[in-house]
Amino acid sequence: MMRGLQLAEKVVGDSEMILMGGSSSLYCPLASDIILTCLPVIGNNKVYEHVGILANILDNSVRAGILGDDIVAQIQGCLRHIFQQQIVNETKSTSAISAINISKVAPDAKKLYNPAEDKAFNTRLLQQVIGAAVTAMKNVDPQGLFLNPVTDAIAPGYSTIVKEPMCIKTIETKLATNRYAALGEYERDVRLMFQNCIDYNIGKEGAWFRGEARRQTKIWKTSILHQAREHLRKETVKRARDKNKQTDSKDAQDKKRKKDEQDAMNKKTKSTELAFGGLGGPKKKFKADDEAITRLTIAHIDPLPGTKSIKRKKDMDYPSMPALASMLLSDPFVVRLLIDKTLRCLRNDTLKQKSVPSLHPLIPSLLQLLYIAQCSAQLCAMRGKKFFVPDCGLTPPPTEEKEEEQRSTSDVPFASLRKYLPLLTATLLEVHVDHRTAVGGDLADAAPHLPQRPVPNGEDWEGTTRLCVLRALLQGALVHIIQPGSTNEVAFKSQCPRFVLLLEKCTAREQLVREGPFWMSLAVGLLRHKTKLPKGIRDIIFDVLELWLKNAPTDIALVSEGHRVTVWLLNEWYRMGNLIMPRDLLLKLVERVGCAAAHPSKDAFSEEWRLSEEGFKKIKGEYERMLKNVGEPYAGKWRETMDVVEAVKNQADGEVKQGESK
């Protein structure tokens, strides 16, 4: 736990913070787990009831590997109780307890069945009704007059008179592909079909056809359509009646359960206490609050109100609940789930609905959870003496000087949500268009005729180096693009420069090479292609990694995680065979990596190799692994090129002398 506090203090002192942390970010979550496990010894375990519920929810989500909409609501419900209950304790406001009762988040009002929300049933019923109506129409048309499409070969000049042809076959095709969302759309097509016949067949020659169209129209209106409407109405009413009965039964059961729980709570039984035991994690015995939390759904999602920094009373003899909750959220696995969920909402909802992120029901809350996770190191470094709730970004920050402290926790979320997240969404759209207009995409043929898109210059992203959450989302989007099946070699040539430009704008040049988890995520995504990785994507990614190493200060780049991961990736490619990484290419690329990290002179690399200090040992181990794999004389030539021959000789002489002295 002390190790976690020391790291947290170091992170707070740094100008840049890493949200997508690796193993070093596990200290705070592990410290919180130890505290929760030892609560029976510490005492006051009931105070941490909702912290325990939050820990269980997060653990289950990490095991499942996905974050559902309802789970986000449940996490938010726990945090609402944790943070607001702490505020009540600090301000001695007992009247506020009723306002934060978690059971009130889940309303008791009866929710009646809404047919419009039962989409699956509506689709099946509409298919059944329209299918029966089409069959009846075929029986009324024994000559098959309206069965098949009419062409100009059958009816000269038909396409010049009838601008929107329609026939029974076309209706059947639309029905089979679920293109009818309502019965009215089917009615419109049938009326169009009969009217087309009347419009084309004019004069005496078309009198029979017009008469047949009017005859079938009358039968369709008075019989077929009437029966279809009645059947649709009766089945909908029956469905609503059955669903409401189920709701009434469930409501009765819920009321009985709530009454039993309230009676149990009034008697102060132990059913609502949280009991922890052993190192196997918390064992729940509580019922009321846990069940109230698990009943929360996406309909209950509402971001927590932001607060300024609040001091904790000195006489508190138990750890800070907000600090523990934020430490749990800072778990790297949880952060990755939150980032993945946010990007999915942007791609699948915001883009398709042509909306903005601030109007999405989940995105503001997801960003707030990421801000809380980001603040965990700060709360941990303060040892829980203070706590605050970062804003979600929906409201502008205050402008008065007296509210400077609160503005510091709200201006970054506001800028991220209202300004930069729409820009990120636009970038995702551009990347999607790149994929569709590239060779092999569905818009490849239309690409030459599309207007020229402006080349991004990144001016709108200036001054974003402090937006850690935005940077993590950008990194996650790039990692998603390189996964197998997400892009192709031609599209990636346009997609990659967009992300590289934005990442360089929102990341300090000395910081990018330190973000080891991001580099490792890129490497693992590339390795998933195995030997099917396009050589163009391999070369583009390597050039980018080399550029990032070259742009970083030499003393940082040489001992950075980015340096180690790059050499590790080249070694893994070499293991896959000559198809992806021939030996000569490996030696060439590894030399370029060493020169880029030691830029502008190789002397720094040979000096670091000679010293072999703690920060360079793992990196040197990857180089030595490469030299062992390629063997002699190639390893010797590489040592000469990188000027590490003398360093190796001195190291060997030192080992011999040390052995002789022993």
Side-chain angles (χ1 to χ4, degrees):
M1 182 175 178
M2 290 305 299
R3 172 64 171 160
L5 294 175
Q6 293 168 1
L7 282 175
E9 290 172 348
K10 182 180 182 301
V11 169
V12 172
D14 290 343
S15 59
E16 294 293 327
M17 295 177 65
I18 301 176
L19 183 60
M20 291 180 63
S23 58
S24 61
S25 300
L26 284 171
Y27 288 107
C28 284
L30 290 175
S32 62
D33 287 340
I34 293 173
I35 293 174
L36 291 175
T37 304
C38 298
L39 279 180
V41 179
I42 299 175
N44 293 315
N45 54 326
K46 186 176 179 180
V47 176
Y48 297 91
E49 186 166 359
H50 288 86
V51 179
I53 298 173
L54 176 63
N56 285 320
I57 292 173
L58 295 178
D59 286 345
N60 293 333
S61 299
V62 170
R63 290 191 187 98
I66 193 170
L67 208 62
D69 296 346
D70 294 347
I71 296 300
V72 176
Q74 293 166 20
I75 293 173
Q76 201 173 60
C78 290
L79 293 175
R80 190 181 305 278
H81 190 285
I82 291 167
F83 279 97
Q84 294 190 5
Q85 182 65 54
Q86 190 71 20
I87 294 173
V88 170
N89 290 340
E90 303 306 331
T91 58
K92 300 181 180 179
S93 176
T94 57
S95 61
I97 296 179
S98 59
I100 60 171
N101 191 339
I102 200 65
S103 62
K104 290 192 176 184
V105 181
D108 294 332
K110 178 180 176 181
K111 184 179 180 181
L112 296 177
Y113 170 75
N114 185 2
E117 297 177 355
D118 200 351
K119 295 182 180 180
F121 171 76
N122 290 337
T123 302
R124 292 195 304 269
L125 180 59
L126 199 61
Q127 289 266 350
Q128 178 186 354
V129 170
I130 297 178
V134 170
T135 302
M137 290 172 61
K138 290 180 180 179
N139 295 334
V140 175
D141 185 21
Q143 295 91 357
L145 181 64
F146 298 98
L147 182 61
N148 297 305
V150 180
T151 62
D152 288 341
I154 300 174
Y158 187 83
S159 60
T160 61
I161 298 173
V162 177
K163 300 302 181 182
E164 189 178 356
M166 186 58 61
C167 65
I168 294 178
K169 286 288 187 184
T170 303
I171 294 175
E172 287 181 325
T173 301
K174 294 178 70 175
L175 180 64
T177 54
N178 290 328
R179 292 167 61 186
Y180 287 121
L183 187 62
E185 297 177 6
Y186 156 75
E187 295 180 25
R188 182 253 180 199
D189 285 348
V190 175
R191 294 180 191 277
L192 176 66
M193 179 182 70
F194 290 136
Q195 190 61 43
N196 287 344
C197 179
I198 295 173
D199 292 344
Y200 178 79
N201 294 286
I202 58 176
K204 294 182 180 180
E205 296 84 358
W208 182 86
F209 294 98
R210 294 197 304 273
E212 185 65 15
R214 292 190 177 99
R215 181 188 71 83
Q216 293 192 28
T217 300
K218 184 177 180 180
I219 297 175
W220 175 76
K221 282 183 179 179
T222 57
S223 178
I224 299 175
L225 181 59
H226 175 72
Q227 292 179 15
R229 287 174 174 171
E230 278 297 304
H231 184 71
L232 188 66
R233 183 187 65 81
K234 290 180 179 179
E235 289 298 320
T236 303
V237 171
K238 181 182 176 183
R239 176 77 168 184
R241 185 168 56 247
D242 294 342
K243 284 290 184 180
N244 286 333
K245 285 182 179 179
Q246 295 177 7
T247 303
D248 292 340
S249 176
K250 185 178 180 181
D251 287 346
Q253 294 176 4
D254 289 343
K255 287 181 180 179
K256 185 178 182 302
R257 183 172 60 250
K258 288 179 182 179
K259 184 177 181 301
D260 294 341
E261 291 168 357
Q262 191 63 40
D263 292 342
M265 292 176 66
N266 292 339
K267 295 177 182 178
K268 296 183 179 181
T269 62
K270 296 182 180 180
S271 60
T272 59
E273 294 180 358
L274 184 64
F276 296 90
L279 296 178
K283 299 180 180 179
K284 299 184 295 182
K285 292 184 180 178
F286 51 87
K287 295 181 180 179
D289 285 342
D290 187 26
E291 292 181 358
I293 290 292
T294 56
R295 286 198 298 269
L296 297 179
T297 65
I298 187 175
H300 305 118
I301 289 182
D302 186 27
L304 279 67
T307 66
K308 61 181 181 180
S309 182
I310 300 175
K311 288 185 177 181
R312 199 158 175 256
K313 290 192 298 186
K314 295 182 179 180
D315 57 349
M316 288 293 182
D317 58 349
Y318 53 87
S320 167
M321 290 192 297
L324 288 177
S326 60
M327 288 159 66
L328 290 172
L329 282 176
S330 68
D331 188 316
F333 300 102
V334 176
V335 170
R336 278 161 175 74
L337 291 181
L338 291 170
I339 291 173
D340 179 68
K341 182 69 174 178
T342 306
L343 291 173
R344 286 176 184 271
C345 290
L346 289 174
R347 287 192 300 263
N348 300 336
D349 300 334
T350 304
L351 282 180
K352 291 184 179 179
Q353 297 172 5
K354 300 178 182 179
S355 181
V356 292
S358 58
L359 296 180
H360 194 278
L362 280 176
I363 289 177
S365 296
L366 289 170
L367 289 182
Q368 188 177 47
L369 295 179
L370 287 169
Y371 299 140
I372 294 174
Q374 176 187 341
C375 296
S376 64
Q378 200 171 347
L379 296 177
C380 187
M382 292 187 294
R383 290 172 168 80
K385 295 178 181 178
K386 292 183 179 181
F387 68 93
F388 58 89
V389 181
D391 196 77
C392 67
L394 287 174
T395 56
T399 56
E400 293 80 0
E401 293 183 1
K402 63 181 181 180
E403 298 182 1
E404 175 67 29
E405 188 177 9
Q406 185 173 352
R407 183 165 71 252
S408 65
T409 63
S410 60
D411 57 352
V412 169
F414 182 79
S416 299
L417 180 62
R418 294 304 185 96
K419 180 179 179 180
Y420 296 109
L421 212 57
L423 294 178
L424 174 59
T425 307
T427 302
L428 296 179
L429 178 60
E430 292 289 339
V431 167
H432 182 63
V433 173
D434 288 337
H435 190 197
R436 296 185 64 185
T437 55
V439 176
D442 58 335
L443 297 180
D445 296 336
H449 308 288
L450 295 176
Q452 187 70 26
R453 287 181 288 161
V455 179
N457 53 21
E459 291 181 357
D460 295 333
W461 293 74
E462 294 289 349
T464 57
T465 54
R466 60 181 181 147
L467 305 182
C468 303
V469 172
L470 183 69
R471 183 167 68 244
L473 291 172
L474 265 175
Q475 294 171 354
L478 178 56
V479 171
H480 170 78
I481 288 294
I482 65 171
Q483 302 300 317
S486 297
T487 187
N488 56 49
E489 186 173 352
V490 178
F492 195 69
K493 291 179 181 179
S494 302
Q495 294 170 335
C496 187
R498 299 182 189 276
F499 285 108
V500 172
L501 174 64
L502 300 185
L503 282 171
E504 291 177 348
K505 289 291 183 182
C506 67
T507 312
R509 68 188 189 99
E510 71 274 6
Q511 182 66 23
L512 196 53
V513 294
R514 290 175 170 174
E515 304 212 6
F518 167 53
W519 288 64
M520 183 56 73
S521 298
L522 283 177
V524 172
L526 293 168
L527 292 175
R528 286 179 178 171
H529 291 266
K530 298 184 179 179
T531 56
K532 295 182 180 180
L533 175 69
K535 292 181 175 59
I537 295 180
R538 178 200 66 187
D539 296 340
I540 291 173
I541 285 291
F542 178 81
D543 290 342
V544 169
L545 300 182
E546 181 187 27
L547 176 65
W548 287 345
L549 286 171
K550 189 177 294 185
N551 288 342
T554 303
D555 58 334
I556 295 177
L558 277 172
V559 296
S560 66
E561 271 294 289
H563 188 184
R564 184 191 68 82
V565 172
T566 305
V567 183
W568 175 83
L569 176 62
L570 295 176
N571 280 329
E572 293 300 311
W573 274 339
Y574 184 66
R575 286 181 56 197
M576 295 179 180
N578 290 335
L579 188 62
I580 187 68
M581 183 60 62
R583 179 176 55 201
D584 293 342
L585 180 60
L586 171 68
L587 292 168
K588 178 182 177 182
L589 295 184
V590 172
E591 178 184 345
R592 286 173 57 184
V593 171
C595 293
H599 182 77
S601 173
K602 288 191 294 186
D603 295 340
F605 183 86
S606 58
E607 178 66 15
E608 196 69 47
W609 188 286
R610 183 184 65 81
L611 295 175
S612 296
E613 294 180 346
E614 186 66 28
F616 192 73
K617 282 185 178 180
K618 291 183 179 180
I619 301 171
K620 184 177 179 181
E622 292 296 335
Y623 279 108
E624 291 175 339
R625 175 188 169 200
M626 178 273 300
L627 295 173
K628 181 180 179 181
N629 289 335
V630 298
E632 297 294 346
Y634 306 100
K637 292 180 180 178
W638 184 88
R639 291 190 182 96
E640 291 177 1
T641 303
M642 297 302 295
D643 195 19
V644 295
V645 176
E646 187 66 27
V648 173
K649 182 180 178 182
N650 293 340
Q651 183 179 359
D653 292 343
E655 292 176 355
V656 171
K657 291 180 179 179
Q658 184 178 4
E660 291 176 353
S661 63
K662 288 183 179 180

